[in-house]
Amino acid sequence: MGSFRLPLLLLTLIIVIVNSGCSSRCRAIAFSPAKKLHMRDEVRSMFYHAYDNYMAHAFPHDELKPLTNNFTDSLSELGNLNLQFLPQNYNGSALSLIESLSTLLVLGNFIEFQRGVMWLSENLTFDVDARVNLFECNIRVLGGLISAHILASENKSWFRNISYNDRLLHLARDLGQRFLPAFETPTGLPYAWINLKHGVMENETTETSTSGCGSLILEMGALSRLTSDSRFEGAALRALRKLWNMRSSLDLLGTTLNVLTGEWIEYSSGIGAGVDSFYEYLLKAYILFGSDEYWDMFHSAYLAVQKYFRHGPWYHEADMRSGKATYWQLTSLQAFWPGLQTLVGDVAAANLSHREFFYVWKKYGVLPERYLLEHATLHPTERYYPLRPELAESTYYLYQATKDPWYLEVGESIVASLNSHTKVDGGFASVRDVSTMQLEDHQHSFFLSETCKYLYLLYDDSFVAGRNFVFTTEGHPLPVRSLWHERLPEAYITSNRTSFKTSRVSPLSSQVCPEMIRGAKVESACHVPDLRVNHQCTSDAECGIDSTSCRKRTCSIAGYCGLWRFVH
C-alpha cells in the first residue's frame, strides 16, 4: 500500500497534460468557441441574478428566500446548515457574501470582490451567542474567509488607496479558535455543534457523522500554515487519525458515531451523505500538503469502496463490518464521486458513473435527493433538489480530463434545467418535489459558491489557467504551495485505477477525441469497453459506453451487449 503514490494532480497540470489529447477541430464538432462564450455568459447571468437578489433583499443575513424576497438565519429554517438560537440584534454572518467572493473573482469582478472583502473586514464578528454546526461553519465560513484572504493578499494592488491588512485572516483565526473547544473530548473527535461565545453547551449531542469530524483538515490545515499556529491542524489531524483507526477490517467506515466513546452508531455506509467529503478530503489533503499519510489512507479507502460499494456504474451502501449491501439507492451527494475519481486518474470509471447520474437528471429535469435503484423510482419522501452542485462539479473535472465536448453539452442541459425549473424573479429557488417541480423558498449559499462556479469554469477556465488550486468541498480555491508540503509526492502509477477485465485500453485513459489521425479512426473519449471482448453479458453492468453515440449499452435477452434500448 505504501508504495503506491499519486502525483501532484493539480488542476492546471491536468489542463496542460490533456490539451494535446483533443484538437480544436475535434472540440468544434459539437461545440464551437462562440457557443462556449454564449454558455459562459448564460452562467454569468445566472450568478448575478442570484447574487444581486441576495444583496438587495437578504444581505447581510445569511441566505436569500427568493420567493418572498426575504432572508433566513436560523437553523429551524435552514435544516442543518447554519446558525441557531441567535440574539435578537444579530444581523447575520453575510454567509452568501462570504461564499460568493471567490466566484466573483472567477467571473473577473475585482471591484465587487474588493467591496465584499472590505465590508467583511469592517463588520463581521463571531463574538455572538450562536450555536453553529462545526462542519458547515468550517467549510462555508472558515474556508471562504481563508480562500478570500489568500486571493486578496496575493493581489493587494486591487485595493487602491485602501489597506487590506490581512483582516480576513484575523477573522479566520478568531473563528478557528472558537472551534477548538469542540475537540476537547476523550477521543479527540469533535462535537458536531459549538457555541461561538460559550463553547460546548451543556447536554450537547454527542452524535456526529464521519464527514462532520473527518472533513476539517483542508481548512484547519491551511489556517495553521497561514498563522504558524499548529493547534488547528493538530486538532483536525488527531480527529482524522482516530476516525481512520475506527475503520473495520474491510477498511470501511460507518456513517455516524459517538464522539465521547468512539463507538459507531450507524454501521451502514456509502459514498453519499454523512461520508462523502471524508474521502474527498483524504485525497485533496495529500495534494495540498503532500503527506504520504493522507495518500495511504485514501488509497486503502478507495479500493474498499470499489470492492464493496460498486455495482457496475452505481454505488450502493453496505455494512462496514461485513461489506454486504444494505441500501440500493442513489443520493444526489454521490454525484461528487466521478469528479474525485477524475482527480485520482480513474477516468473510465468516473465517466461510467457520471453518465448514470446525468441519466437520472434528464429523467426528472434535476437530480432528486434520493433515487431507489432497485425500483428505478423516486424515494417516497426525499424528492427535493436544493440546487446542489455535485453533478456540475464532476462534469467540469471530466471535461478538463478528456476535453470531450459531450460534457459541454451536459453543462448546457444543466443550465437549461436550472433556468427553466428553478429561476424566479427573486433569484433561484430550491425544488421541493422533482415530480411536480414545486418550489421551496430557499436559495442555498452553495449555489453561489459551487454550482455557478463550476458551470462557469466549464466554459471559461481562465481563472485557473497556469495556477495550481485545490477546491474545497464548498468550492473555495486553495493554492498549492511547495512551502506547505512536507515533501513533494513521488511519481504516480496507475495501480489505483478501477480495473476492467479486458486487454483493450479505453481512449478515456489516453484522452483522445473522435477524429481521423493518420487515416485511422480513433474511438471517442466517452467509450468504455464491454466487460468481455466477445460482447457477451449476463447483466447491464457488464456492458460499456458506445464509442459513437456515447450511450449506455445494455444486455439483451440473448446475452449480448448493444444499444437495445434505442432500437425501434
Side-chain angles (χ1 to χ4, degrees):
M1 179 177 67
S3 62
F4 299 138
R5 295 289 176 259
L6 185 69
L8 198 55
L9 282 178
L10 311 178
L11 191 52
T12 52
L13 179 59
I14 294 176
I15 294 171
V16 170
I17 291 175
V18 305
N19 269 347
S20 61
C22 184
S23 69
S24 59
R25 174 173 165 269
C26 164
R27 293 194 296 272
I29 292 175
F31 230 91
S32 67
K35 191 173 183 180
K36 285 185 70 175
L37 290 176
H38 170 73
M39 288 308 304
R40 179 200 67 181
D41 293 342
E42 281 281 311
V43 179
R44 182 193 299 272
S45 296
M46 286 173 54
F47 172 80
Y48 282 117
H49 183 68
Y51 177 79
D52 290 345
N53 272 286
Y54 163 73
M55 295 300 291
H57 303 295
F59 176 79
H61 292 271
D62 292 336
E63 294 183 312
L64 171 69
K65 289 187 171 184
L67 300 180
T68 58
N69 291 335
N70 211 328
F71 60 84
T72 179
D73 285 316
S74 70
L75 178 70
S76 60
E77 296 170 297
L78 277 171
N80 67 340
L81 299 178
N82 208 352
L83 307 179
Q84 185 184 32
F85 309 139
L86 301 173
Q88 291 184 352
N89 62 347
Y90 182 68
N91 291 320
S93 67
L95 175 63
S96 290
L97 174 60
I98 296 173
E99 293 262 70
S100 298
L101 290 177
S102 61
T103 308
L104 287 168
L105 283 189
V106 168
L107 271 61
N109 193 335
F110 309 116
I111 295 176
E112 189 67 14
F113 173 81
Q114 173 192 313
R115 289 176 55 193
V117 168
M118 296 315 298
W119 188 94
L120 293 169
S121 299
E122 296 167 1
N123 295 278
L124 184 60
T125 178
F126 298 116
D127 190 25
V128 291
D129 184 7
R131 178 176 178 260
V132 303
N133 182 279
L134 177 66
F135 168 74
E136 296 290 349
C137 200
N138 174 73
I139 64 172
R140 297 187 183 210
V141 182
L142 183 61
L145 291 174
I146 290 173
S147 177
H149 159 71
I150 294 172
L151 294 171
S153 61
E154 290 181 346
N155 300 276
K156 290 187 177 181
S157 60
W158 294 340
F159 297 85
R160 297 177 181 177
N161 303 319
I162 301 174
S163 179
Y164 167 56
N165 292 331
D166 297 338
R167 176 60 179 156
L168 295 189
L169 180 59
H170 300 323
L171 285 168
R173 182 169 188 166
D174 177 46
L175 182 59
Q177 289 174 332
R178 295 174 189 272
F179 285 172
L180 291 178
F183 294 85
E184 296 173 1
T185 63
T187 61
L189 298 167
Y191 282 93
W193 298 89
I194 186 77
N195 185 288
L196 293 179
K197 183 181 283 288
H198 304 295
V200 178
M201 303 298 290
E202 186 177 358
N203 298 320
E204 183 59 83
T205 178
T206 60
E207 182 176 342
T208 192
S209 67
T210 298
S211 290
C213 58
S215 308
L216 307 168
I217 191 63
L218 290 188
E219 295 82 2
M220 299 284 273
L223 183 59
S224 282
R225 280 160 171 74
L226 290 168
T227 61
S228 299
D229 187 337
S230 63
R231 293 180 298 162
F232 310 114
E233 182 174 9
L237 183 54
R238 282 192 296 273
L240 183 59
R241 286 170 173 165
K242 172 62 178 178
L243 190 63
W244 182 241
N245 287 334
M246 292 169 58
R247 71 191 186 281
S248 71
S249 59
L250 306 179
D251 285 334
L252 298 176
L253 293 88
T255 304
T256 59
L257 57 132
N258 186 303
V259 301
L260 297 184
T261 65
E263 297 177 347
W264 290 106
I265 298 173
E266 175 56 64
Y267 291 99
S268 180
S269 183
I271 59 170
V275 189
D276 50 354
S277 54
F278 165 77
Y279 297 107
E280 178 185 5
Y281 271 35
L282 289 180
L283 176 60
K284 290 183 176 180
Y286 175 65
I287 297 173
L288 192 62
F289 304 130
S291 171
D292 288 342
E293 180 179 10
Y294 297 122
W295 171 250
D296 291 340
M297 287 189 281
F298 173 78
H299 184 255
S300 298
Y302 182 78
L303 293 180
V305 165
Q306 298 299 88
K307 181 177 182 179
Y308 295 106
F309 296 161
R310 184 171 181 263
H311 182 79
W314 301 107
Y315 289 83
H316 57 72
E317 297 179 23
D319 190 302
M320 63 173 285
R321 299 164 296 185
S322 64
K324 293 183 178 179
T326 52
Y327 301 107
W328 290 80
Q329 59 185 359
L330 171 153
T331 65
S332 62
L333 288 171
Q334 292 178 353
F336 90 99
W337 189 254
L340 187 69
Q341 290 184 302
T342 303
L343 280 179
V344 80
D346 202 351
V347 183
N351 173 74
L352 193 61
S353 294
H354 175 271
R355 290 174 185 273
E356 299 299 333
F357 282 109
F358 184 55
Y359 166 79
V360 177
W361 177 286
K362 293 287 287 184
K363 182 176 181 179
Y364 294 104
V366 292
L367 197 60
E369 190 69 4
R370 291 186 187 271
Y371 177 80
L372 304 180
L373 296 175
E374 287 182 295
H375 306 288
T377 189
L378 291 170
H379 188 276
T381 58
E382 297 186 48
R383 296 166 169 247
Y384 53 90
Y385 169 68
L387 306 175
R388 292 202 188 279
E390 283 76 17
L391 182 61
E393 175 186 4
S394 288
T395 303
Y396 163 67
Y397 280 119
L398 275 162
Y399 177 67
Q400 289 293 347
T402 66
K403 294 301 181 187
D404 189 331
W406 183 80
Y407 295 108
L408 300 177
E409 296 172 5
V410 172
E412 184 180 22
S413 180
I414 294 174
V415 169
S417 292
L418 291 171
N419 281 321
S420 174
H421 300 304
T422 71
K423 185 178 181 180
V424 295
D425 290 342
F428 285 83
S430 300
V431 177
R432 185 185 298 274
D433 187 334
V434 303
S435 65
T436 63
M437 287 299 171
Q438 177 188 5
L439 297 180
E440 184 177 7
D441 197 12
H442 198 173
Q443 179 181 286
H444 291 277
S445 62
F446 52 69
F447 181 74
L448 297 164
S449 68
E450 296 185 84
T451 309
C452 290
K453 179 184 281 116
Y454 287 121
L455 288 172
Y456 188 89
L457 287 171
L458 179 63
Y459 299 106
D460 184 348
D461 60 7
S462 56
F463 174 78
V464 298
R467 309 170 76 182
N468 296 332
F469 286 112
V470 165
F471 288 99
T472 71
T473 196
E474 196 68 9
H476 298 304
L478 298 176
V480 179
R481 297 173 167 175
S482 59
L483 292 177
W484 285 12
H485 271 237
E486 296 182 12
R487 65 171 193 80
L488 291 176
E490 297 173 0
Y492 167 57
I493 63 173
T494 59
S495 302
N496 57 291
R497 294 184 182 175
T498 301
S499 60
F500 290 88
K501 296 179 181 179
T502 172
S503 59
R504 301 176 62 190
V505 178
S506 168
L508 281 161
S509 301
S510 55
Q511 297 134 355
V512 178
C513 288
E515 60 178 329
M516 299 297 291
I517 298 179
R518 296 193 181 98
K521 185 174 178 58
V522 180
E523 295 169 330
S524 166
C526 70
H527 180 226
V528 174
D530 298 331
L531 182 63
R532 298 180 180 88
V533 176
N534 62 7
H535 309 294
Q536 290 185 338
C537 57
T538 58
S539 68
D540 290 350
E542 296 176 351
C543 300
I545 300 292
D546 183 70
S547 62
T548 302
S549 66
C550 291
R551 289 172 171 168
K552 178 73 175 70
R553 292 159 62 83
T554 57
C555 191
S556 69
I557 297 176
Y560 284 88
C561 293
L563 295 176
W564 309 117
R565 291 177 183 171
F566 303 97
V567 176
H568 300 282

